[in-house]
Amino acid sequence: MTRVFSGIKPTGHVTLGNYLGAMRRWAEVDQHRADSLFCIVDLHALTVDHDPARVRRLSRQAATLLLAAGLDPEVCTVYLQSHVDEHTRLSYLLECVATDGETRRMIQYKEKSARERERGGSVRLSLLTYPVLMAADILAFGTDEVPVGDDQVQHVELARDLAVRFNQRYGHTFVVPKATRPGVAARVMNLQDPTSKMGKSEVSGPGIVYLLDEPDVVRRKVMRAVTDSGRDVEYDREARPGVANLLEILAACTDGSPEVLAGDYDSYGALKKDTAEAVVEALRPVRERHRDLCADPAYVEGVLRDGAEKARAMARPTVDTAFKAIGLLPPVFDTASGAAGGR
């Protein structure tokens, strides 16, 4: 069976864009069509200045929301990246294969490091090397496909390059993965800036709908969404990005077509009202399931524990093979004490 790896970074509260653009497809399609792993990549959240308590809180929230969105631990593997040592074990080996130039060419590194410098902060080394850790996330599991948006394709290409280079130098070890771009995934933009993606790493604002927003908050944000000059409701992402964003959200929530839906409206107000109600209804089961899961934290902890055990079992053979291939001696254990010995 095809193996799929997907990750979500706990750097902010999960948004409508995360749900319609990725999580819903993971639950409805990917976990059923493939041997799928869904990882909360908490180590990636440490590459910039962060509050440790907030990272822990958002990691638990992300895991709970993945389950609330429909991921079934009996069907797929859900776990925390930091609970599986194979991620960091393999990351160092791949750092010994990657080049400085490759990581510095990453667009996200250029953008994030520039923002850090503008704020007067220092750029952490981990921000430069985190694409290599992402490659380790993927390669450790023999991943075939990585569903990603356009902003992450470059990172998957790096993983492919490192896999090929390692295989050529040290013997065939890794599956060479490919990036897939789900055609049915929604592209949700910021309601106040429809030319920018609705990202969870942004500061809280009226343009971002969070999965756990109360219904009245959702309605208020959608009703205040930026539209465009003119009065006609037309689907044109280039010329009418505000209206197009609302139509795409409505289409994603109702399994419709934005082009067809545009013909049903003669005013922005009616479009906003219907979009707001569609979003509230789409998020209702997720919110209800999240509430139930929060009342049973032991269940979520059990899912993460079992998921980490499954993930370790899947990754360890490949990572151990990589350690041997690159030239490292296997550990020697004292069978009496179980401790590493020097004999």
Side-chain angles (χ1 to χ4, degrees):
M1 181 180 288
T2 299
R3 180 162 289 172
V4 170
F5 179 93
S6 296
I8 185 168
K9 186 160 57 175
T11 51
H13 296 289
V14 182
T15 72
L16 176 69
N18 299 132
Y19 177 66
L20 295 179
M23 291 167 58
R24 186 173 64 171
R25 179 182 171 86
W26 296 349
E28 294 179 353
V29 179
D30 288 336
Q31 70 170 334
H32 300 292
R33 73 174 179 87
D35 181 9
S36 299
L37 297 102
F38 301 100
C39 180
I40 296 89
V41 286
D42 51 349
L43 295 175
H44 291 302
L46 311 184
T47 59
V48 294
D49 189 34
H50 63 277
D51 174 14
R54 186 170 187 265
V55 171
R56 286 191 291 270
R57 184 172 64 253
L58 291 177
S59 296
R60 178 181 291 275
Q61 183 186 91
T64 306
L65 282 170
L66 287 178
L67 298 175
L71 292 186
D72 183 351
E74 298 297 323
V75 175
C76 63
T77 303
V78 180
Y79 72 102
L80 281 169
Q81 180 189 31
S82 61
H83 291 179
V84 178
D85 293 344
E86 279 66 28
H87 287 270
T88 49
R89 288 180 64 207
L90 182 55
S91 182
Y92 180 73
L93 296 194
L94 295 180
E95 285 185 13
C96 298
V97 177
T99 67
D100 174 74
E102 284 176 314
T103 55
R104 291 188 184 278
R105 282 196 296 271
M106 296 292 108
I107 295 172
Q108 288 204 4
Y109 170 72
K110 292 179 179 179
E111 294 176 347
K112 291 182 179 180
S113 60
R115 287 198 294 268
E116 286 295 315
R117 293 189 181 97
E118 287 174 2
R119 289 196 291 260
S122 57
V123 180
R124 301 185 182 192
L125 179 61
S126 57
L127 185 62
L128 177 64
T129 60
Y130 103 86
V132 181
L133 175 57
M134 181 176 173
D137 299 338
I138 296 165
L139 299 182
F141 297 98
T143 302
D144 298 294
E145 297 180 9
V146 189
V148 291
D150 291 342
D151 60 336
Q152 292 292 336
V153 170
Q154 188 183 33
H155 290 161
V156 180
E157 289 300 319
L158 176 63
R160 288 174 54 84
D161 292 342
L162 296 181
V164 170
R165 189 177 306 154
F166 193 103
N167 290 346
Q168 291 175 341
R169 290 180 180 177
Y170 307 114
H172 185 76
T173 304
F174 299 116
V175 172
V176 180
K178 65 178 181 179
T180 59
R181 307 184 198 185
V184 298
R187 184 186 182 203
V188 180
M189 312 303 281
N190 190 297
L191 294 174
Q192 292 298 313
D193 179 10
T195 62
S196 299
K197 188 173 69 172
M198 186 183 288
K200 64 180 182 306
S201 298
E202 300 174 27
V203 295
S204 177
I208 306 171
V209 174
Y210 298 106
L211 261 61
L212 298 180
D213 278 345
E214 294 292 337
D216 285 347
V217 174
V218 173
R219 293 186 181 98
R220 183 165 61 250
K221 289 180 177 180
V222 176
M223 292 303 294
R224 294 177 179 176
V226 168
T227 49
D228 310 289
S229 59
R231 297 182 179 181
D232 295 333
V233 178
E234 298 176 352
Y235 181 67
D236 187 332
R237 174 149 286 286
E238 296 299 322
R240 313 289 291 278
V243 171
N245 190 36
L246 291 171
L247 287 168
E248 289 185 353
I249 293 172
L250 178 60
C253 291
T254 60
D255 295 323
S257 162
E259 293 88 351
V260 173
L261 287 169
D264 295 338
Y265 295 94
D266 56 12
S267 72
Y268 294 160
L271 172 61
K272 288 182 176 181
K273 182 178 179 180
D274 283 359
T275 302
E277 293 306 320
V279 172
V280 168
E281 184 58 26
L283 297 185
R284 179 184 54 77
V286 179
R287 287 173 44 81
E288 291 176 352
R289 177 63 173 153
H290 178 268
R291 183 181 61 242
D292 294 341
L293 289 168
C294 286
D296 188 8
Y299 172 76
V300 177
E301 291 171 2
V303 168
L304 295 177
R305 181 179 60 251
D306 294 345
E309 290 178 0
K310 288 170 61 179
R312 279 193 295 270
M314 283 189 273
R316 186 169 297 144
T318 297
V319 177
D320 285 349
T321 298
F323 265 63
K324 181 179 180 180
I326 206 169
L328 300 176
L329 284 172
V332 180
F333 290 93
D334 183 333
T335 56
S337 65
R343 292 182 298 173

